[in-house]
Amino acid sequence: MGNHMERLSYAEVPTVDPHGVDRDDGPRIGVSYIFSGGEDDEDEPGGGGGDVGDGRAVDGTQSNSNPEETAFDPREDVECAVYKLDECVYEKSRRSSTLEVYSPENLLNKCRAGDLVEFVAGGQYPHWAVYVGDFQVVHLHRAEVKSAFLTDAGRGRRCRIVNDRFKFRAREPDAVVQSALEQVGLKDRELSWRNSEGFAAWCRFGRRELKAGGELHGGGRQQYTLHVLLGDQKYSHALEFHSLEDVIAEKRRGDYLGRTALLRELAAHLRTETGAR
């Protein structure tokens, strides 16, 4: 993604099973960020933030409760890539895929069973779902896995198919659909996913690192790096993490802020770091 990087390390609080067992009631973890209080996505069990249902945003101010009134600006898409050591496991960029969005009604003509759908709107966390056929999706929403019509699940947001974001090998479509449908009805402490993206991606790829606590959180090398593209294809800002779950949480926070606000935040943080030296 780039040949110039500024690196930051994120502190973590390990509470995970060291064996990393992949089971539906997997262990939970705690994470603290340098300049983030956590994701606070409405999809997150116990979450309180992006839009928590009472109109409050993550900073406690009033947010727009009607997604239809918050236009999505494609220029605010945050382009980034995630590497596990030297292997790219996720990429969101205009050069690697289309970032075009559609109305839910128009996207229905493009969806196939097993596809991942991302709903987007300005100033909100992206919301992911699994298309299971017959105009239906399965998604993690407000601490419960639910089935809904695609046209209802996004609550007025624009949407797009995002099968190619994660670079893992996908399951067969029937297996993706079965995995999603088998989770319908799970809620609260039964859940093994921190947000809608982790849930949807797990259904499609079946990777345990997409579950909460699916990877070892301990000392040693931080094996994931999130590269946020700055300005052009030559420069990126690098953030380091121990787990893919934590990368996803921070990546989604950037999507909530939007590109302009995120780059402003990173610039301010770098100025603070430089001044402290």
PDB file of all heavy atoms in Angstrom, residues 171-184:
ATOM      1  N   ARG A 171     -15.922 -20.030   1.849  1.00  0.00           N
ATOM      2  CA  ARG A 171     -16.654 -21.281   1.834  1.00  0.00           C
ATOM      3  C   ARG A 171     -17.563 -21.335   0.605  1.00  0.00           C
ATOM      4  O   ARG A 171     -17.837 -20.313  -0.033  1.00  0.00           O
ATOM      5  CB  ARG A 171     -17.536 -21.384   3.085  1.00  0.00           C
ATOM      6  CG  ARG A 171     -16.787 -21.497   4.407  1.00  0.00           C
ATOM      7  CD  ARG A 171     -17.756 -21.249   5.542  1.00  0.00           C
ATOM      8  NE  ARG A 171     -17.278 -21.733   6.812  1.00  0.00           N
ATOM      9  CZ  ARG A 171     -17.892 -21.536   7.982  1.00  0.00           C
ATOM     10  NH1 ARG A 171     -19.031 -20.850   8.018  1.00  0.00           N
ATOM     11  NH2 ARG A 171     -17.394 -22.015   9.097  1.00  0.00           N
ATOM     12  N   GLU A 172     -18.071 -22.513   0.318  1.00  0.00           N
ATOM     13  CA  GLU A 172     -19.080 -22.637  -0.728  1.00  0.00           C
ATOM     14  C   GLU A 172     -20.335 -21.858  -0.317  1.00  0.00           C
ATOM     15  O   GLU A 172     -20.651 -21.775   0.882  1.00  0.00           O
ATOM     16  CB  GLU A 172     -19.439 -24.106  -0.957  1.00  0.00           C
ATOM     17  CG  GLU A 172     -18.317 -24.922  -1.577  1.00  0.00           C
ATOM     18  CD  GLU A 172     -17.953 -24.425  -2.965  1.00  0.00           C
ATOM     19  OE1 GLU A 172     -18.891 -24.077  -3.732  1.00  0.00           O
ATOM     20  OE2 GLU A 172     -16.744 -24.368  -3.278  1.00  0.00           O
ATOM     21  N   PRO A 173     -21.052 -21.264  -1.282  1.00  0.00           N
ATOM     22  CA  PRO A 173     -22.222 -20.449  -0.934  1.00  0.00           C
ATOM     23  C   PRO A 173     -23.221 -21.145  -0.015  1.00  0.00           C
ATOM     24  O   PRO A 173     -23.747 -20.526   0.923  1.00  0.00           O
ATOM     25  CB  PRO A 173     -22.839 -20.143  -2.304  1.00  0.00           C
ATOM     26  CG  PRO A 173     -21.670 -20.156  -3.237  1.00  0.00           C
ATOM     27  CD  PRO A 173     -20.766 -21.248  -2.724  1.00  0.00           C
ATOM     28  N   ASP A 174     -23.491 -22.421  -0.250  1.00  0.00           N
ATOM     29  CA  ASP A 174     -24.442 -23.139   0.602  1.00  0.00           C
ATOM     30  C   ASP A 174     -23.962 -23.189   2.045  1.00  0.00           C
ATOM     31  O   ASP A 174     -24.762 -23.085   2.980  1.00  0.00           O
ATOM     32  CB  ASP A 174     -24.660 -24.559   0.087  1.00  0.00           C
ATOM     33  CG  ASP A 174     -25.486 -24.604  -1.197  1.00  0.00           C
ATOM     34  OD1 ASP A 174     -26.059 -23.559  -1.560  1.00  0.00           O
ATOM     35  OD2 ASP A 174     -25.540 -25.674  -1.828  1.00  0.00           O
ATOM     36  N   ALA A 175     -22.658 -23.362   2.220  1.00  0.00           N
ATOM     37  CA  ALA A 175     -22.100 -23.415   3.572  1.00  0.00           C
ATOM     38  C   ALA A 175     -22.167 -22.054   4.243  1.00  0.00           C
ATOM     39  O   ALA A 175     -22.398 -21.956   5.457  1.00  0.00           O
ATOM     40  CB  ALA A 175     -20.659 -23.920   3.518  1.00  0.00           C
ATOM     41  N   VAL A 176     -21.944 -20.990   3.477  1.00  0.00           N
ATOM     42  CA  VAL A 176     -22.046 -19.634   4.019  1.00  0.00           C
ATOM     43  C   VAL A 176     -23.463 -19.376   4.512  1.00  0.00           C
ATOM     44  O   VAL A 176     -23.677 -18.893   5.629  1.00  0.00           O
ATOM     45  CB  VAL A 176     -21.655 -18.585   2.948  1.00  0.00           C
ATOM     46  CG1 VAL A 176     -21.826 -17.173   3.502  1.00  0.00           C
ATOM     47  CG2 VAL A 176     -20.225 -18.805   2.474  1.00  0.00           C
ATOM     48  N   VAL A 177     -24.436 -19.703   3.678  1.00  0.00           N
ATOM     49  CA  VAL A 177     -25.839 -19.496   4.036  1.00  0.00           C
ATOM     50  C   VAL A 177     -26.209 -20.325   5.264  1.00  0.00           C
ATOM     51  O   VAL A 177     -26.864 -19.830   6.193  1.00  0.00           O
ATOM     52  CB  VAL A 177     -26.749 -19.854   2.843  1.00  0.00           C
ATOM     53  CG1 VAL A 177     -28.216 -19.877   3.267  1.00  0.00           C
ATOM     54  CG2 VAL A 177     -26.530 -18.867   1.707  1.00  0.00           C
ATOM     55  N   GLN A 178     -25.788 -21.588   5.295  1.00  0.00           N
ATOM     56  CA  GLN A 178     -26.107 -22.447   6.431  1.00  0.00           C
ATOM     57  C   GLN A 178     -25.502 -21.898   7.719  1.00  0.00           C
ATOM     58  O   GLN A 178     -26.158 -21.874   8.767  1.00  0.00           O
ATOM     59  CB  GLN A 178     -25.597 -23.866   6.181  1.00  0.00           C
ATOM     60  CG  GLN A 178     -25.900 -24.831   7.329  1.00  0.00           C
ATOM     61  CD  GLN A 178     -25.403 -26.241   7.046  1.00  0.00           C
ATOM     62  OE1 GLN A 178     -24.998 -26.563   5.929  1.00  0.00           O
ATOM     63  NE2 GLN A 178     -25.443 -27.091   8.052  1.00  0.00           N
ATOM     64  N   SER A 179     -24.252 -21.457   7.651  1.00  0.00           N
ATOM     65  CA  SER A 179     -23.597 -20.898   8.837  1.00  0.00           C
ATOM     66  C   SER A 179     -24.359 -19.695   9.363  1.00  0.00           C
ATOM     67  O   SER A 179     -24.533 -19.535  10.581  1.00  0.00           O
ATOM     68  CB  SER A 179     -22.156 -20.493   8.509  1.00  0.00           C
ATOM     69  OG  SER A 179     -21.359 -21.625   8.262  1.00  0.00           O
ATOM     70  N   ALA A 180     -24.819 -18.836   8.444  1.00  0.00           N
ATOM     71  CA  ALA A 180     -25.557 -17.649   8.865  1.00  0.00           C
ATOM     72  C   ALA A 180     -26.889 -18.023   9.492  1.00  0.00           C
ATOM     73  O   ALA A 180     -27.247 -17.550  10.589  1.00  0.00           O
ATOM     74  CB  ALA A 180     -25.761 -16.720   7.673  1.00  0.00           C
ATOM     75  N   LEU A 181     -27.637 -18.880   8.829  1.00  0.00           N
ATOM     76  CA  LEU A 181     -28.970 -19.234   9.315  1.00  0.00           C
ATOM     77  C   LEU A 181     -28.919 -19.959  10.654  1.00  0.00           C
ATOM     78  O   LEU A 181     -29.825 -19.800  11.488  1.00  0.00           O
ATOM     79  CB  LEU A 181     -29.693 -20.089   8.280  1.00  0.00           C
ATOM     80  CG  LEU A 181     -30.079 -19.380   6.974  1.00  0.00           C
ATOM     81  CD1 LEU A 181     -30.660 -20.374   5.971  1.00  0.00           C
ATOM     82  CD2 LEU A 181     -31.082 -18.263   7.243  1.00  0.00           C
ATOM     83  N   GLU A 182     -27.872 -20.745  10.882  1.00  0.00           N
ATOM     84  CA  GLU A 182     -27.756 -21.492  12.143  1.00  0.00           C
ATOM     85  C   GLU A 182     -27.544 -20.579  13.344  1.00  0.00           C
ATOM     86  O   GLU A 182     -27.764 -20.993  14.484  1.00  0.00           O
ATOM     87  CB  GLU A 182     -26.607 -22.498  12.048  1.00  0.00           C
ATOM     88  CG  GLU A 182     -26.928 -23.715  11.188  1.00  0.00           C
ATOM     89  CD  GLU A 182     -25.749 -24.653  11.061  1.00  0.00           C
ATOM     90  OE1 GLU A 182     -24.624 -24.251  11.436  1.00  0.00           O
ATOM     91  OE2 GLU A 182     -25.950 -25.795  10.574  1.00  0.00           O
ATOM     92  N   GLN A 183     -27.116 -19.347  13.104  1.00  0.00           N
ATOM     93  CA  GLN A 183     -26.859 -18.428  14.215  1.00  0.00           C
ATOM     94  C   GLN A 183     -28.061 -17.551  14.557  1.00  0.00           C
ATOM     95  O   GLN A 183     -28.037 -16.846  15.573  1.00  0.00           O
ATOM     96  CB  GLN A 183     -25.662 -17.512  13.890  1.00  0.00           C
ATOM     97  CG  GLN A 183     -24.456 -18.189  13.290  1.00  0.00           C
ATOM     98  CD  GLN A 183     -23.988 -19.420  14.037  1.00  0.00           C
ATOM     99  OE1 GLN A 183     -23.884 -19.404  15.271  1.00  0.00           O
ATOM    100  NE2 GLN A 183     -23.697 -20.488  13.302  1.00  0.00           N
ATOM    101  N   VAL A 184     -29.103 -17.565  13.711  1.00  0.00           N
ATOM    102  CA  VAL A 184     -30.258 -16.701  13.942  1.00  0.00           C
ATOM    103  C   VAL A 184     -30.869 -16.994  15.315  1.00  0.00           C
ATOM    104  O   VAL A 184     -31.108 -18.148  15.670  1.00  0.00           O
ATOM    105  CB  VAL A 184     -31.317 -16.887  12.834  1.00  0.00           C
ATOM    106  CG1 VAL A 184     -32.601 -16.123  13.174  1.00  0.00           C
ATOM    107  CG2 VAL A 184     -30.770 -16.403  11.495  1.00  0.00           C
TER     108      VAL A 184
END
